[in-house]
Amino acid sequence: MFSHAIFTPGRPDNWLAKVEEEDARLKPDAWKGYTIGDNTNKHLSKHPWRLDDEKLMYPFYERLVKWSKQYPDRPGLKNVCVHKGLFAPSVERQFPHLVGYCNVNDVGKAAKDWPDLNFIIYHSAYRWVGGVQPAEGRAQWERTGRVEWTNDLADIPAQYGVKNVYGDLGQIFAWTSAAEPRLAAFIMGSLVKGLGADHVVWGTDSLWTGAPQWQIEALRRLEIPEDMQKKYGFAPLGAANGPVKNGIFGLNSAKIYNYTPKQQAAVLTDRLARCKETYDREGGDRTNLVYGYINKG
Protein backbone atom coordinates (compact mmCIF):
# COMPACT_ATOMS: atom_id res chain seq x y z
CA MET A 1 0.00 0.00 0.00
CA PHE A 2 1.28 3.45 -0.93
CA SER A 3 0.40 6.58 1.02
CA HIS A 4 0.25 10.25 0.14
CA ALA A 5 0.92 13.26 2.30
CA ILE A 6 -1.06 16.45 1.66
CA PHE A 7 0.69 19.65 0.66
CA THR A 8 -1.15 22.94 1.19
CA PRO A 9 0.59 25.79 -0.64
CA GLY A 10 0.07 29.34 0.50
CA ARG A 11 -0.75 28.65 4.11
CA PRO A 12 0.71 31.39 6.32
CA ASP A 13 2.43 28.91 8.65
CA ASN A 14 5.46 28.34 6.38
CA TRP A 15 3.99 25.49 4.39
CA LEU A 16 7.31 24.43 2.86
CA ALA A 17 8.78 23.91 6.32
CA LYS A 18 5.74 21.78 7.10
CA VAL A 19 6.39 19.74 3.95
CA GLU A 20 9.97 19.14 4.97
CA GLU A 21 8.98 18.14 8.49
CA GLU A 22 6.29 15.74 7.29
CA ASP A 23 8.52 14.22 4.66
CA ALA A 24 11.12 13.42 7.30
CA ARG A 25 8.59 12.14 9.82
CA LEU A 26 5.98 10.39 7.67
CA LYS A 27 8.11 9.36 4.68
CA PRO A 28 5.17 9.40 2.25
CA ASP A 29 5.34 7.66 -1.11
CA ALA A 30 3.98 10.72 -2.95
CA TRP A 31 2.32 14.07 -2.33
CA LYS A 32 -1.20 15.21 -3.12
CA GLY A 33 -2.65 18.70 -3.30
CA TYR A 34 -5.92 20.50 -4.00
CA THR A 35 -5.50 23.56 -6.20
CA ILE A 36 -8.93 24.72 -5.11
CA GLY A 37 -7.60 25.20 -1.58
CA ASP A 38 -10.07 23.69 0.85
CA ASN A 39 -12.14 21.35 -1.29
CA THR A 40 -14.38 20.14 1.55
CA ASN A 41 -15.23 23.63 2.79
CA LYS A 42 -15.20 25.72 -0.34
CA HIS A 43 -16.76 28.65 1.49
CA LEU A 44 -13.67 28.72 3.71
CA SER A 45 -11.13 28.22 0.93
CA LYS A 46 -8.57 30.99 1.41
CA HIS A 47 -5.51 29.63 -0.35
CA PRO A 48 -6.21 28.38 -3.88
CA TRP A 49 -3.11 28.02 -6.04
CA ARG A 50 -1.85 27.13 -9.50
CA LEU A 51 0.57 24.41 -10.50
CA ASP A 52 2.53 26.83 -12.68
CA ASP A 53 3.03 29.48 -9.99
CA GLU A 54 6.81 29.77 -10.19
CA LYS A 55 7.27 31.67 -6.94
CA LEU A 56 4.98 29.50 -4.85
CA MET A 57 5.30 26.00 -6.33
CA TYR A 58 8.68 25.68 -8.01
CA PRO A 59 10.64 25.55 -4.72
CA PHE A 60 8.41 22.60 -3.76
CA TYR A 61 9.13 20.85 -7.06
CA GLU A 62 12.85 21.36 -6.49
CA ARG A 63 12.54 19.45 -3.23
CA LEU A 64 10.64 16.61 -4.86
CA VAL A 65 13.26 16.17 -7.59
CA LYS A 66 16.01 16.23 -4.98
CA TRP A 67 14.27 13.79 -2.63
CA SER A 68 13.27 11.32 -5.35
CA LYS A 69 16.94 11.00 -6.25
CA GLN A 70 18.17 11.10 -2.66
CA TYR A 71 15.84 8.31 -1.48
CA PRO A 72 15.82 5.53 -4.10
CA ASP A 73 13.46 3.50 -1.91
CA ARG A 74 10.83 6.24 -2.38
CA PRO A 75 10.77 6.82 -6.16
CA GLY A 76 7.13 7.92 -6.02
CA LEU A 77 8.22 11.28 -4.63
CA LYS A 78 8.46 12.41 -8.23
CA ASN A 79 4.67 12.05 -8.50
CA VAL A 80 2.70 15.27 -7.99
CA CYS A 81 -0.88 14.11 -7.46
CA VAL A 82 -3.41 16.88 -7.92
CA HIS A 83 -7.16 17.03 -7.40
CA LYS A 84 -8.88 18.73 -10.35
CA GLY A 85 -12.43 18.99 -11.61
CA LEU A 86 -15.56 17.82 -9.74
CA PHE A 87 -16.76 21.41 -10.03
CA ALA A 88 -20.08 21.42 -11.86
CA PRO A 89 -21.66 24.66 -13.14
CA SER A 90 -24.03 24.61 -10.16
CA VAL A 91 -21.00 24.73 -7.85
CA GLU A 92 -19.34 27.36 -10.02
CA ARG A 93 -22.35 29.61 -9.53
CA GLN A 94 -21.79 29.41 -5.76
CA PHE A 95 -18.03 29.87 -5.90
CA PRO A 96 -17.18 31.61 -9.19
CA HIS A 97 -13.83 32.81 -7.84
CA LEU A 98 -12.58 29.22 -7.55
CA VAL A 99 -13.40 27.89 -11.01
CA GLY A 100 -10.07 29.00 -12.48
CA TYR A 101 -8.24 26.75 -10.05
CA CYS A 102 -10.24 23.63 -10.93
CA ASN A 103 -9.48 23.42 -14.64
CA VAL A 104 -6.19 22.26 -16.16
CA ASN A 105 -4.81 25.42 -17.76
CA ASP A 106 -1.96 25.41 -15.24
CA VAL A 107 -0.80 21.85 -15.93
CA GLY A 108 1.02 22.13 -19.25
CA LYS A 109 3.61 24.74 -18.28
CA ALA A 110 4.39 23.06 -14.96
CA ALA A 111 4.83 19.69 -16.67
CA LYS A 112 7.10 21.18 -19.32
CA ASP A 113 9.21 23.07 -16.80
CA TRP A 114 9.62 19.97 -14.60
CA PRO A 115 10.19 16.95 -16.86
CA ASP A 116 11.63 14.92 -13.96
CA LEU A 117 8.26 14.97 -12.21
CA ASN A 118 4.97 13.27 -13.06
CA PHE A 119 1.78 15.28 -12.83
CA ILE A 120 -1.08 12.91 -12.05
CA ILE A 121 -4.43 14.67 -12.41
CA TYR A 122 -7.02 13.05 -10.20
CA HIS A 123 -10.48 12.58 -11.68
CA SER A 124 -8.93 13.65 -15.01
CA ALA A 125 -10.43 17.06 -14.19
CA TYR A 126 -13.95 15.79 -14.96
CA ARG A 127 -16.40 18.39 -13.70
CA TRP A 128 -19.89 16.93 -14.34
CA VAL A 129 -20.75 15.30 -11.00
CA GLY A 130 -23.82 15.65 -8.83
CA GLY A 131 -27.54 15.42 -9.57
CA VAL A 132 -28.32 15.77 -13.28
CA GLN A 133 -24.75 16.68 -14.19
CA PRO A 134 -23.80 13.45 -16.04
CA ALA A 135 -26.62 14.12 -18.51
CA GLU A 136 -25.44 17.71 -18.91
CA GLY A 137 -21.94 16.44 -19.54
CA ARG A 138 -23.29 14.16 -22.24
CA ALA A 139 -25.22 17.07 -23.76
CA GLN A 140 -22.06 19.18 -23.88
CA TRP A 141 -20.14 16.37 -25.57
CA GLU A 142 -22.88 15.76 -28.14
CA ARG A 143 -23.05 19.50 -28.85
CA THR A 144 -19.31 20.29 -29.00
CA GLY A 145 -17.50 16.96 -29.40
CA ARG A 146 -15.61 17.61 -26.17
CA VAL A 147 -15.95 17.16 -22.42
CA GLU A 148 -14.89 20.30 -20.62
CA TRP A 149 -11.51 20.11 -18.85
CA THR A 150 -11.08 16.37 -19.44
CA ASN A 151 -10.44 16.84 -23.15
CA ASP A 152 -8.28 19.85 -22.27
CA LEU A 153 -6.19 17.49 -20.16
CA ALA A 154 -5.94 14.96 -23.00
CA ASP A 155 -4.69 17.71 -25.33
CA ILE A 156 -1.75 18.76 -23.12
CA PRO A 157 0.89 16.27 -24.37
CA ALA A 158 0.41 17.40 -27.99
CA GLN A 159 0.22 21.09 -27.08
CA TYR A 160 3.25 21.19 -24.80
CA GLY A 161 5.33 18.29 -26.06
CA VAL A 162 5.36 16.57 -22.65
CA LYS A 163 5.18 12.94 -21.58
CA ASN A 164 4.73 13.37 -17.83
CA VAL A 165 1.00 14.08 -17.52
CA TYR A 166 -1.34 11.33 -16.35
CA GLY A 167 -5.10 11.05 -16.02
CA ASP A 168 -6.64 9.26 -13.01
CA LEU A 169 -10.11 7.70 -13.22
CA GLY A 170 -11.29 8.36 -9.65
CA GLN A 171 -14.98 9.43 -9.67
CA ILE A 172 -14.97 9.98 -13.43
CA PHE A 173 -15.49 6.33 -14.33
CA ALA A 174 -18.00 5.64 -11.56
CA TRP A 175 -20.24 8.52 -12.59
CA THR A 176 -20.12 8.02 -16.33
CA SER A 177 -20.12 4.22 -16.62
CA ALA A 178 -23.24 3.96 -14.48
CA ALA A 179 -25.20 6.95 -15.75
CA GLU A 180 -23.89 7.66 -19.25
CA PRO A 181 -21.97 4.66 -20.66
CA ARG A 182 -21.42 6.19 -24.10
CA LEU A 183 -19.97 9.25 -22.42
CA ALA A 184 -17.72 6.90 -20.42
CA ALA A 185 -16.54 5.33 -23.67
CA PHE A 186 -15.84 8.74 -25.19
CA ILE A 187 -13.86 9.87 -22.17
CA MET A 188 -11.80 6.68 -22.11
CA GLY A 189 -11.10 7.01 -25.81
CA SER A 190 -10.08 10.65 -25.41
CA LEU A 191 -7.72 9.99 -22.52
CA VAL A 192 -6.08 6.98 -24.16
CA LYS A 193 -5.69 8.81 -27.47
CA GLY A 194 -4.38 12.06 -25.99
CA LEU A 195 -2.35 10.98 -22.98
CA GLY A 196 -1.44 7.49 -24.17
CA ALA A 197 -2.73 4.15 -22.92
CA ASP A 198 0.22 4.01 -20.52
CA HIS A 199 -0.66 7.38 -19.00
CA VAL A 200 -4.15 6.54 -17.73
CA VAL A 201 -4.26 5.16 -14.19
CA TRP A 202 -6.95 3.47 -12.17
CA GLY A 203 -8.83 5.13 -9.33
CA THR A 204 -12.27 4.51 -7.85
CA ASP A 205 -12.88 6.92 -4.98
CA SER A 206 -14.52 3.89 -3.42
CA LEU A 207 -14.87 5.75 -0.14
CA TRP A 208 -17.75 7.58 -1.83
CA THR A 209 -18.97 5.00 -4.34
CA GLY A 210 -18.74 1.77 -2.37
CA ALA A 211 -16.72 -1.38 -2.97
CA PRO A 212 -14.94 -0.98 -6.32
CA GLN A 213 -15.62 -4.41 -7.85
CA TRP A 214 -18.53 -3.14 -9.93
CA GLN A 215 -16.27 -0.47 -11.45
CA ILE A 216 -13.60 -3.06 -12.19
CA GLU A 217 -16.16 -5.26 -13.94
CA ALA A 218 -17.50 -2.28 -15.87
CA LEU A 219 -14.09 -1.39 -17.30
CA ARG A 220 -13.34 -5.04 -18.06
CA ARG A 221 -16.49 -5.12 -20.19
CA LEU A 222 -16.29 -1.64 -21.71
CA GLU A 223 -15.47 -1.19 -25.37
CA ILE A 224 -15.65 1.96 -27.44
CA PRO A 225 -18.49 1.62 -29.97
CA GLU A 226 -17.37 1.27 -33.57
CA ASP A 227 -19.17 4.43 -34.67
CA MET A 228 -17.25 6.38 -32.03
CA GLN A 229 -13.95 4.77 -33.03
CA LYS A 230 -14.52 5.84 -36.62
CA LYS A 231 -15.73 9.37 -35.83
CA TYR A 232 -13.03 10.31 -33.30
CA GLY A 233 -10.14 8.10 -34.34
CA PHE A 234 -10.20 6.08 -31.13
CA ALA A 235 -8.46 2.72 -30.89
CA PRO A 236 -10.35 -0.17 -29.27
CA LEU A 237 -9.73 -0.70 -25.56
CA GLY A 238 -9.37 -4.40 -26.23
CA ALA A 239 -9.80 -7.53 -24.17
CA ALA A 240 -10.72 -7.60 -20.50
CA ASN A 241 -7.21 -8.76 -19.65
CA GLY A 242 -5.53 -7.04 -22.58
CA PRO A 243 -2.59 -4.65 -22.35
CA VAL A 244 -4.64 -1.43 -22.29
CA LYS A 245 -6.92 -2.43 -19.44
CA ASN A 246 -4.25 -4.25 -17.47
CA GLY A 247 -2.10 -1.16 -17.77
CA ILE A 248 -4.87 1.08 -16.49
CA PHE A 249 -5.72 -1.26 -13.63
CA GLY A 250 -2.21 -1.29 -12.24
CA LEU A 251 0.76 -1.72 -14.52
CA ASN A 252 0.88 1.99 -15.39
CA SER A 253 0.91 2.95 -11.72
CA ALA A 254 3.50 0.25 -11.02
CA LYS A 255 5.77 1.96 -13.52
CA ILE A 256 5.53 5.47 -12.08
CA TYR A 257 6.01 4.16 -8.54
CA ASN A 258 8.86 1.91 -9.71
CA TYR A 259 7.08 -1.16 -8.42
CA THR A 260 9.43 -3.83 -9.72
CA PRO A 261 8.42 -7.02 -11.57
CA LYS A 262 9.65 -8.99 -8.57
CA GLN A 263 7.32 -7.05 -6.28
CA GLN A 264 4.46 -7.45 -8.74
CA ALA A 265 5.02 -11.21 -8.90
CA ALA A 266 4.97 -11.41 -5.11
CA VAL A 267 1.42 -10.08 -5.10
CA LEU A 268 0.29 -13.25 -6.88
CA THR A 269 1.41 -15.45 -3.99
CA ASP A 270 0.95 -13.29 -0.89
CA ARG A 271 -1.53 -13.93 1.90
CA LEU A 272 -4.31 -11.97 0.18
CA ALA A 273 -3.82 -14.04 -2.97
CA ARG A 274 -4.09 -17.23 -0.94
CA CYS A 275 -7.31 -15.97 0.65
CA LYS A 276 -8.71 -15.24 -2.80
CA GLU A 277 -7.73 -18.74 -3.95
CA THR A 278 -9.59 -20.24 -1.01
CA TYR A 279 -12.60 -18.03 -1.71
CA ASP A 280 -12.68 -19.09 -5.37
CA ARG A 281 -12.24 -22.75 -4.47
CA GLU A 282 -15.04 -22.69 -1.90
CA GLY A 283 -17.34 -20.82 -4.23
CA GLY A 284 -17.78 -17.85 -1.93
CA ASP A 285 -20.54 -19.59 0.04
CA ARG A 286 -20.85 -19.35 3.79
CA THR A 287 -19.40 -22.33 5.69
CA ASN A 288 -21.43 -21.99 8.91
CA LEU A 289 -18.28 -22.98 10.80
CA VAL A 290 -17.89 -21.57 14.28
CA TYR A 291 -14.44 -20.49 15.39
CA GLY A 292 -13.22 -20.23 18.98
CA TYR A 293 -14.42 -21.77 22.22
CA ILE A 294 -17.90 -23.25 22.46
CA ASN A 295 -19.62 -23.54 25.78
CA LYS A 296 -21.51 -26.85 25.69
CA GLY A 297 -22.72 -26.53 29.25
Side-chain angles (χ1 to χ4, degrees):
M1 180 180 293
F2 294 125
S3 65
H4 295 168
I6 303 295
F7 63 94
T8 51
R11 280 175 45 177
D13 56 349
N14 195 347
W15 74 278
L16 278 176
K18 185 69 172 176
V19 163
E20 291 178 346
E21 184 273 325
E22 290 186 350
D23 186 79
R25 177 169 55 89
L26 302 175
K27 296 180 173 56
D29 298 290
W31 288 83
K32 180 183 178 182
Y34 295 78
T35 52
I36 193 174
D38 190 336
N39 183 58
T40 304
N41 301 286
K42 296 178 179 63
H43 61 293
L44 300 176
S45 180
K46 298 179 180 179
H47 305 290
W49 48 276
R50 290 177 56 92
L51 283 163
D52 58 0
D53 186 326
E54 296 186 14
K55 182 178 180 180
L56 181 67
M57 295 304 302
Y58 284 27
F60 173 61
Y61 300 154
E62 289 177 357
R63 286 164 171 78
L64 294 187
V65 172
K66 175 185 175 182
W67 291 339
S68 65
K69 296 176 180 179
Q70 183 177 353
Y71 306 113
D73 59 326
R74 298 164 62 203
L77 290 173
K78 65 185 177 183
N79 297 327
V80 184
C81 305
V82 186
H83 171 100
K84 288 283 193 179
L86 307 191
F87 203 83
S90 58
V91 181
E92 179 183 352
R93 286 191 288 271
Q94 291 180 275
F95 308 101
H97 63 294
L98 295 177
V99 67
Y101 299 96
C102 299
N103 59 35
V104 295
N105 63 12
D106 57 342
V107 176
K109 181 180 183 301
K112 188 169 185 176
D113 288 348
W114 295 91
D116 291 333
L117 299 177
N118 296 319
F119 291 84
I120 304 166
I121 308 305
Y122 280 22
H123 319 295
S124 292
Y126 181 72
R127 75 177 304 193
W128 302 97
V129 294
V132 299
Q133 297 304 323
E136 293 188 13
R138 182 198 64 200
Q140 182 190 64
W141 158 52
E142 291 176 342
R143 184 175 67 253
T144 67
R146 297 178 62 83
V147 176
E148 197 170 8
W149 301 352
T150 300
N151 276 99
D152 297 334
L153 175 67
D155 289 343
I156 287 175
Q159 290 179 346
Y160 288 86
V162 297
K163 298 180 180 179
N164 57 339
V165 175
Y166 293 76
D168 156 83
L169 298 183
Q171 282 295 312
I172 183 172
F173 192 74
W175 278 92
T176 58
S177 64
E180 298 290 345
R182 279 185 62 85
L183 178 60
F186 173 78
I187 288 172
M188 293 300 301
S190 297
L191 292 174
V192 168
K193 181 181 179 180
L195 299 177
D198 59 345
H199 281 60
V200 181
V201 298
W202 185 241
T204 62
D205 254 10
S206 58
L207 177 66
W208 309 110
T209 52
Q213 190 61 40
W214 67 273
Q215 293 186 58
I216 295 171
E217 295 298 327
L219 183 55
R220 292 288 188 200
R221 290 175 168 85
L222 181 68
E223 185 52 274
I224 300 172
E226 291 185 5
D227 66 305
M228 205 177 294
Q229 294 181 33
K230 182 177 179 180
K231 181 175 181 179
Y232 297 104
F234 294 154
L237 296 177
N241 282 307
V244 172
K245 293 176 182 177
N246 281 347
I248 291 171
F249 277 128
L251 295 180
N252 296 341
S253 290
K255 182 178 179 180
I256 60 178
Y257 283 92
N258 198 26
Y259 202 66
T260 67
K262 182 178 179 180
Q263 290 172 308
Q264 295 175 42
V267 172
L268 302 177
T269 57
D270 64 8
R271 187 170 183 272
L272 185 60
R274 293 196 299 273
C275 290
K276 182 178 184 299
E277 182 181 349
T278 301
Y279 181 88
D280 291 340
R281 184 176 64 248
E282 301 295 336
D285 295 327
R286 59 190 295 176
T287 66
N288 293 323
L289 292 176
V290 177
Y291 297 90
Y293 293 103
I294 300 175
N295 187 346
K296 295 183 177 181

